[in-house]
Amino acid sequence: MRRLIIVLATLLLSVLHAHAQGDRAALTGTVLDPAHRMVVGAKVTLTAVTTGVVHIEKSNAGGAYTFSSLQLGQYTLLVEANGFEATKVEAFRLEVGETRTLNIAMRVSDVHQDVNVVTAAPDLDISSAVVGATITTSQIQALPVNGRYWANLEALLPGAVASGNGDQSNVRFSGNSQEDNNFRLDGVDATGLNHAYEKAALVVQFPMESIAELKGSSALYSADIGGMSGGQINMASKSGTNQFHGSFYEYLRNSYFDAKPYFTGTKQLAPFRMNNFGASVGGPIAHNKFFFFANYEGVQQAYIQPLTNVPVPSASFRQQVLGAQPSLAQFINAFPQGQQHSNDARVDYWFSSGSNPTTENGGLLRLDYALSNATSVSFRFNTDYYTTTQPSLSQNSDTIYSTPNAVLDVTHRFSSAILNDAKVGYNRQAFWNPSSGNASPYSFSVADIKLSYSLNDDSWRIDNSFSFLDDISFYRGRHTIKAGVEIRAMQENKLHPLLEQTVTYNTANDLLANKLQEYDYQPIGVETAARKKNYYGYLLDEYKARPNLTINYGLRYEFYGVDSEVNPSIGRVFDPFTCGLQYCPAGSSFYMPNVRGFEPRVSVGWSPAFLHNKTAFRVGVGSVESDGQFGGLYALQTQIGQAFSLQTSSIPTLSWPVDPYLQLAKGSTTYSANDRKRKNMQVNQWTVSVQHELFKDTMLSATYVGSKSTHLFNKSLLLNGVDPATGKRPYASLTNSTISWTTWVDNSNYNALQIGLKRNMYNGLLVSANYQYAHILGNGSNGGGESDGPENNNCLRCEYGNTDFDMRNNFTASAVWTLPVGNGQFLLRNINPVLNNIVGGWQLSGTGVTHAGFPLNVTMTRATGDLLDGINKNERPNRVPGQPLYAKHKTLNQWFNPDAFSTPAKGQWGNLGHNAVYGPGFAQASMGMQKQFALHEEMALQFRADFFNIFNFGEIGSPSVTWTGGSSNPGNFGSITKAYNSNPTGMGTPRQMQFSLRLSY
């Protein structure tokens, strides 16, 4: 068996060389004599505290030693050399993705041959200039997380910006999009394909009970890390130890303990109950050799979800429409009657509720086997099955989702200088979104007054990725050389089976006049099956120029394969710039491959001796590439199912019903295309930082991060607008249609100052705090998958301004404190056992988040004939000089000053800048408290209570930014009618309470 595994590892090494993406840890250092000369041939023994696994190295000709591909956890180190006292380093922790430097100063031996016991030196990071942090086991276990979904912890990382409830879909890093984030579990791909984030609000996907640590890197990671240009989130699952340990637990939420939600229109609490329960067990199969860990977790949630402040036609406006245009009855009568007036006489607000049940079941199994001192094998499999029903105004929708993920990892040391780590991984997202209940066969909207309802997506998709990884490390003198290549094969299978019809009116007055803005027809979809392969490679050297000076330099190469379609009948390519107004020849690639994906990265870390090795300075520069959203690369086909669009810009008399105009559909085909000459998104980064140990295990850091991003994704452009010089469209044969155009031409700049304080768990106290002042400027794109449509499609530079997630001030903090009270503690250390069970064993924890508001883009609706290009999307008003942008006294009814804006003259663009105003800020604090009751020497019962948004801060959403006129006719412009988070879990809810019991053994 052992020979077979070694042979497999060797074969993998011969054909693959991919990196482990930081799911393990490394330890390096230099052995020195009292005169600071290198000690050669010293025996260095590293022992894992919980598993007893032993690793042995010898210091090389440069006095250096290195241990790579280590399981995270606590270790002790013993260094022995002839003529010197043995030196033992007390237990210290290695975190996921960490390369820790631990230099050993030996003392000359005397006749007593004592063992010199020392504590580990400060955990200063001089191995690279990476910007990031680790969420430790103590934090994962103790911090209050509303919903117990691991992604909520991302908001606590430096460089992170959370724009919503904290899940995967709204956390961004260092000026990049959430589509640029790269998620890995145990070193293999755990990222969504169509979107990087998961499409559902999961809880169990990777149960917090099974995660040992989470590391987030937001910028300047070394050459062995990549695959995406945003945050790199690496998680390590728990493994078994030499002792059997396990737990049974249940977390309970009930609306009885919650504060009243905002904007519900009622004083009654929405009924809610959530039971989150599970069990875990881990231990040895063979002592010091073979270990296992298993976890099951389930969620049962019953919720009557409020539907609040939904715009519907007022009774008077409903009668106006029915009287003026009886043919529109089917649309206007699809809206329910409102219960509350808004600022606009034409709009009321509708309040209702619907059942939102959720069920989720998942689990994880991990096996670790140390075949020998040279070879180890690890296997991990986890899965999750999720179902929910979401109510809405138009119809209910179901979501069924499953996310299995697995990895097989073989690590082998070929010699004392060569270590190889090979992995095979599998990642899957299976998503189905069927409709339930009766629904209108149309999607309908009136833009200026925000009346809308829509068809459900009703789609299914099955996405798979297969990862083949291997990295190899060579140790020679002061050099640690690493090399590797990763191959990732991706599959995206999807179908939209609905016939979709969309009816759009520009203004309420147009509705009364039945002046239709646009009619879109999308017949029943065709199943698509996209395929793509990515190849990544790197070579780097961690050169210890001195024991306290490390130079990390490397080159990464990334080749993103070209998306393709399995079905040849629909895998047709359309690009007017390379093939004209016809399909490209059969067999044409979706786009030209980018083969210049070279990414150099260099950093220097120095801990000067004259500062007593308590301070580290780091500088770095580097380049990162990405091809952006996988789903966005596919949008090349036109007329899959013969879609078409009718628009008033080409048919001035367009009205409902559209039957008289259907003969014009041939010239109204809905075209979509990608830039076949696209370039990969590129992010050039630079950073300077200083880190200082204030006290034992307490670090203060200050970091400047800058980046320049080019070739950013923009999917919101439209071609074939009217040429003002000729009054005609450039593609004259498309008389009634624009072309949706996706290209990679946007740019952005990011600059940030980050201050961090971190105290590792020491004497029962852990503290982590991060403050960031940042500014992000760009011309419409937020990164690899998010973009805004421009006001003028021919002037992207006119959009340059604050990006959508330009958050100037952001502060997060977390703490865990075991109270020093009870038997053996600082207070009441000699208390009797009965009282100790009452006052001892208490732990407090908490999180705090506060940040400034996000930019908002003020838009307006205009008559299509007033526009130069006839494209009536994202139009902005003029800025009125001398008028303040905000109301003198900001209220929920009026956040902005409507008189600060005016209507541009006919034929002119609005001069208000993109994202010129900001919404409300955010602040929330949560607290947890738990008590441990000792039942037996190896068994304890834990009671826990969590208080989310403990001060019940009123977290409000963003104001309406559709400008309808000055103070004489403001409509709902500037009014805030939604809560920050309308879900029952996550960040930004009203005050909520959660209770739990856990039996541990």
Side-chain angles (χ1 to χ4, degrees), residues 114-409:
D114 292 332
V115 176
N116 180 27
V117 180
V118 299
T119 58
D123 189 12
L124 297 173
D125 185 3
I126 60 172
S127 63
S128 71
V130 63
V131 178
T134 299
I135 305 295
T136 65
T137 303
S138 298
Q139 293 169 289
I140 293 172
Q141 292 176 345
L143 293 179
V145 176
N146 192 347
R148 299 193 72 242
Y149 184 41
W150 62 268
N152 281 261
L153 296 170
E154 293 179 75
L156 302 176
L157 296 167
V161 169
S163 61
N165 63 7
D167 65 22
Q168 276 185 285
S169 67
N170 52 51
V171 179
R172 298 160 179 83
F173 292 88
S174 298
N176 293 288
S177 165
Q178 90 272 48
E179 297 281 7
D180 302 319
N181 295 335
N182 189 12
F183 299 96
R184 296 193 178 232
L185 179 62
D186 295 324
V188 299
D189 175 41
T191 306
L193 292 189
N194 182 257
H195 299 287
Y197 52 86
E198 299 295 347
K199 288 175 66 68
L202 304 177
V203 171
V204 180
Q205 178 199 6
F206 308 129
M208 291 181 64
E209 192 73 14
S210 65
I211 299 175
E213 287 187 353
L214 180 153
K215 180 176 182 179
S217 302
S218 60
L220 257 295
Y221 22 88
S222 55
D224 57 336
I225 297 176
M228 301 287 273
S229 59
Q232 306 289 324
I233 308 300
N234 298 303
M235 293 164 284
S237 61
K238 289 182 179 178
S239 57
T241 68
N242 268 331
Q243 301 293 323
F244 283 102
H245 291 289
S247 64
F248 298 92
Y249 56 91
E250 179 165 14
Y251 292 78
L252 173 66
R253 280 272 316 277
N254 194 303
S255 55
Y256 180 82
F257 300 101
D258 295 346
K260 176 184 173 294
Y262 319 120
F263 303 106
T264 58
T266 176
K267 295 182 179 180
Q268 300 298 317
L269 286 169
F272 174 77
R273 182 184 178 92
M274 184 175 76
N275 295 81
N276 183 191
F277 48 89
S280 65
V281 61
I285 298 175
H287 234 59
N288 291 348
K289 284 283 187 181
F290 198 2
F291 311 94
F292 79 97
F293 176 82
N295 169 236
Y296 161 77
E297 189 161 314
V299 173
Q300 294 288 337
Q301 176 179 298
Y303 182 42
I304 305 301
Q305 182 177 16
L307 302 173
T308 64
N309 282 330
V310 179
V312 296
S314 66
S316 59
F317 184 63
R318 189 186 300 264
Q319 291 305 314
Q320 275 187 282
V321 174
L322 294 175
Q325 303 294 339
S327 65
L328 301 181
Q330 61 177 314
F331 301 123
I332 208 73
N333 288 334
F335 288 96
Q337 298 288 336
Q339 298 102 331
Q340 179 179 305
H341 297 308
S342 74
N343 293 341
D344 191 323
R346 298 166 296 183
V347 177
D348 286 345
Y349 290 132
W350 176 69
F351 297 83
S352 185
S353 61
S355 179
N356 178 209
T358 298
T359 301
E360 196 170 357
N361 291 282
L364 178 144
L365 173 67
R366 174 167 176 156
L367 302 172
D368 294 278
Y369 186 25
L371 283 85
S372 68
N373 289 335
T375 305
S376 64
V377 180
S378 177
F379 170 77
R380 187 264 308 146
F381 173 80
N382 68 277
T383 190
D384 181 24
Y385 187 79
Y386 168 95
T387 63
T388 191
T389 297
Q390 182 70 39
S392 69
L393 180 148
S394 55
Q395 61 182 319
N396 295 337
S397 63
D398 296 328
T399 297
I400 302 171
Y401 201 24
S402 65
T403 60
N405 186 281
V407 60
L408 175 65
D409 182 1

Side-chain angles (χ1 to χ4, degrees), residues 785-807:
E786 298 177 294
S787 60
D788 297 333
E791 180 182 44
N792 178 359
N793 281 266
N794 295 313
C795 186
L796 291 183
R797 67 178 182 275
C798 301
E799 300 298 304
Y800 194 79
N802 304 316
T803 65
D804 290 349
F805 303 100
D806 172 44
M807 183 187 290

Side-chain angles (χ1 to χ4, degrees), residues 127-129 220-225 479-484 537-543 550-558 597-604 619-624:
S127 63
S128 71
L220 257 295
Y221 22 88
S222 55
D224 57 336
I225 297 176
H479 299 268
T480 298
I481 301 172
K482 300 179 182 180
Y538 74 92
L539 176 67
L540 70 83
D541 180 13
E542 291 181 10
Y543 172 48
T550 301
I551 303 173
N552 186 316
Y553 55 98
L555 180 66
R556 184 177 180 83
Y557 177 75
E558 298 186 340
F598 295 98
E599 305 170 19
R601 304 176 195 174
V602 180
S603 68
V604 178
V619 297
V621 296
S623 177
V624 186

Side-chain angles (χ1 to χ4, degrees), residues 227 486-490 532-536 559-561 627:
E486 176 182 358
I487 302 173
R488 188 188 303 180
M490 294 175 285
K532 187 165 172 281
K533 288 183 180 179
N534 292 345
Y535 302 86
Y536 314 120
F559 175 74
Y560 296 92
D627 65 345

